[in-house]
Amino acid sequence: MELLSTPHSIEINNITCDSFRISWAMEDSDLERVTHYFIDLNKKENKNSNKFKHRDVPTKLVAKAVPLPMTVRGHWFLSPRTEYSVAVQTAVKQSDGEYLVSGWSETVEFCTGDYAKEHLAQLQEKAEQIAGRMLRFSVFYRNHHKEYFQHARTHCGNMLQPYLKDNSGSHGNTGQPPQDSPYGRWRFQIPAQRLFNPSTNLYFADFYCMYTAYHYAILVLAPKGSLGDRFCRDRLPLLDIACNKFLTCSVEDGELVFRHAQDLILEIIYTEPVDLSLGTLGEISGHQLMSLSTADAKKDPSCKTCNISVGR
């Protein structure tokens, strides 16, 4: 049987958070012969990937041949805001069940899109269903290595600067931060009212798990009118700070009272620099629990509790 030509000139468009359209060129003589497409999809690994967490494996998709372009969709192998590489191969299924295959095309790269606001609203509803009762708390905290805080003091004017979200969050149902940490043995604590008060807006940003029994919710605190607040306003669902299922600030007997959801691990993003002089810094007494670290970890795409199906 005549060999198949190698696909080339791959084009990818109509990219969403869990789908994309793909097309390529091949010889006219192959168009009526090809019965299947093989698509090799790989997540681009971060060079600092967390060795304690689940690893992505290459996804080999097999699809019956359809007119191009074709849509590839699936939240179980495509994650939002994630870089992928893709290559394609065409094939003819023979009478003995074996495939005659072409060579692999060139590899192209693309990045999936972010959740739309309506998708985040769906995630928020799912998170609310398992948030549990509200417990009082009094401080926010950040765990890190000693060098991180030394750098902030020496090179950043004693300020913790905002940067792209990577990791935070750990268990704690006592109203006080736990003594164990997956991120470092040094902890900065700051009174909750310094970051969260009636002059602050609160946004819901994400809900996920990582092949574990517990779930994470990401919330964003932004001073009203700040650059961070204006950025979030058109992108994230706004929560009522006094009445929501995740994190509240309310006035009781003339004082601010703070509560958090018991059954979620909350990761709090604050959009502005934080002055170290407003809190306290010290070494914690517990262990470094790497199993709780979210750094470069993969979301569990099979979890029915925290996944939504977009575009179906």
Side-chain angles (χ1 to χ4, degrees):
M1 182 177 287
E2 182 182 353
L3 296 178
L4 294 169
S5 62
T6 300
H8 60 92
S9 304
I10 294 179
E11 292 186 5
I12 295 178
N13 51 41
N14 291 70
I15 300 171
T16 72
C17 61
D18 72 345
S19 68
F20 61 92
R21 297 186 76 189
I22 185 171
S23 63
W24 59 85
M26 52 185 168
E27 297 297 329
D28 292 341
S29 59
D30 293 341
L31 294 175
E32 295 184 1
R33 301 170 58 209
V34 169
T35 61
H36 290 80
Y37 303 142
F38 298 158
I39 300 176
D40 184 18
L41 185 67
N42 291 277
K43 180 180 176 180
K44 292 185 64 180
E45 288 291 346
N46 187 309
K47 65 180 180 180
N48 297 318
S49 293
N50 183 353
K51 65 181 179 181
F52 294 94
K53 287 298 179 180
H54 178 274
R55 279 290 174 273
D56 280 297
V57 296
T59 301
K60 300 293 194 300
L61 306 176
V62 180
K64 289 186 176 180
V66 296
L68 298 175
M70 66 176 289
T71 298
V72 177
R73 175 181 291 118
H75 70 265
W76 54 92
F77 56 81
L78 286 172
S79 301
R81 309 179 295 272
T82 304
E83 292 183 323
Y84 291 92
S85 63
V86 64
V88 298
Q89 187 180 47
T90 60
V92 177
K93 189 172 185 179
Q94 303 177 99
S95 58
D96 61 1
E98 297 295 320
Y99 288 95
L100 172 71
V101 298
S102 71
W104 283 103
S105 71
E106 76 275 18
T107 298
V108 298
E109 298 178 352
F110 69 98
C111 185
T112 50
D114 209 341
Y115 283 123
K117 204 170 182 179
E118 58 267 28
H119 302 144
L120 286 171
Q122 294 176 41
L123 284 173
Q124 177 184 330
E125 291 179 7
K126 282 180 166 284
E128 289 172 345
Q129 293 172 8
I130 69 163
R133 66 191 183 101
M134 302 293 285
L135 300 178
R136 290 184 66 159
F137 74 100
S138 59
V139 298
F140 290 111
Y141 67 95
R142 176 161 180 76
N143 299 325
H144 221 299
H145 299 289
K146 186 176 183 179
E147 293 76 15
Y148 167 80
F149 296 107
Q150 288 177 335
H151 183 271
R153 283 175 166 167
T154 305
H155 300 286
C156 301
N158 210 45
M159 305 291 284
L160 296 181
Q161 298 292 333
Y163 60 87
L164 290 176
K165 185 232 177 274
D166 54 0
N167 49 39
S168 57
S170 53
H171 291 294
N173 291 333
T174 65
Q176 295 296 322
Q179 289 305 305
D180 300 315
S181 165
Y183 306 118
R185 295 186 57 83
W186 286 79
R187 171 173 295 158
F188 172 68
Q189 290 189 181
I190 186 169
Q193 64 267 25
R194 293 286 191 177
L195 306 183
F196 192 26
N197 53 62
S199 297
T200 310
N201 275 332
L202 175 66
Y203 297 91
F204 177 86
D206 205 354
F207 175 49
Y208 64 98
C209 70
M210 300 172 300
Y211 300 90
T212 56
Y214 41 87
H215 280 78
Y216 296 79
I218 300 178
L219 307 175
V220 180
L221 291 173
K224 290 181 179 180
S226 65
L227 287 175
D229 185 39
R230 294 199 294 271
F231 178 86
C232 293
R233 191 176 304 153
D234 296 329
R235 294 171 172 84
L236 303 177
L238 177 67
L239 301 176
D240 183 340
I241 68 168
C243 183
N244 68 79
K245 298 288 188 179
F246 310 114
L247 191 76
T248 61
C249 170
S250 57
V251 178
E252 300 180 17
D253 297 326
E255 295 185 354
L256 292 180
V257 174
F258 305 93
R259 291 183 171 88
H260 71 90
Q262 176 183 22
D263 296 337
L264 291 170
I265 298 177
L266 298 180
E267 300 183 314
I268 309 300
I269 297 175
Y270 191 69
T271 62
E272 310 304 309
V274 176
D275 191 337
L276 284 169
S277 67
L278 298 178
T280 60
L281 179 64
E283 189 172 11
I284 60 176
S285 59
H287 303 286
Q288 185 159 343
L289 301 177
M290 292 308 298
S291 63
L292 285 179
S293 174
T294 62
D296 299 309
K298 177 180 171 60
K299 175 177 179 174
D300 180 0
S302 64
C303 179
K304 295 181 179 179
T305 301
C306 61
N307 277 286
I308 60 173
S309 185
V310 179
R312 296 187 177 188

